[in-house]
Amino acid sequence: MELKAGDRLHSAVSDTEVIVIKTTGGNVTLTCGGLPLVPAGENGARGQIQPGQEGEVLLGKRYVDEEDTLELLCTKPGLGALAVDGRPLGLKSAKPLPSSD
């Protein structure tokens, strides 16, 4: 799937919904619970969370890949781990504030 910033996607295994915040473009396979995410408004076939793809997506949290080339924002929480091309996405950590010595 060709992603662009602003795309809204939903899971085929849970209530999870995300918005693409940042992407470098190109074709990627974005999954939740092991099944591909579906563009908002489209009805995909419902499925079960695949073994090894258990997890939870948290409301308002940002998820990024290891290279920090893809960033998603969760707009509706649900079950299933997020992944891109089979690589898991992790929670984006907050930037440390400068000290105020």
Side-chain angles (χ1 to χ4, degrees):
M1 166 187 313
E2 182 91 23
L3 296 177
K4 62 183 183 298
D7 283 349
R8 294 176 174 269
L9 307 166
H10 68 90
S11 173
V13 297
S14 69
D15 293 332
T16 300
E17 292 181 8
V18 298
I19 294 176
V20 177
I21 302 297
K22 178 173 81 170
T23 182
T24 58
N27 285 327
V28 296
T29 302
L30 193 56
T31 60
C32 180
L35 296 179
L37 289 170
V38 180
E42 289 184 20
N43 291 328
R46 296 297 286 186
Q48 300 291 327
I49 295 175
Q50 304 298 305
Q53 296 296 314
E54 298 85 4
E56 185 175 10
V57 182
L58 304 172
L59 179 65
K61 299 295 182 183
R62 293 174 184 248
Y63 292 84
V64 294
D65 62 351
E66 288 181 0
E67 294 84 28
D68 199 26
T69 58
L70 175 70
E71 183 174 335
L72 305 176
L73 171 65
C74 175
T75 57
K76 189 171 182 186
L79 298 176
L82 291 171
V84 60
D85 293 333
R87 298 182 318 271
L89 297 179
L91 277 173
K92 183 175 183 176
S93 58
K95 293 181 181 175
L97 296 173
S99 64
S100 59
D101 293 336

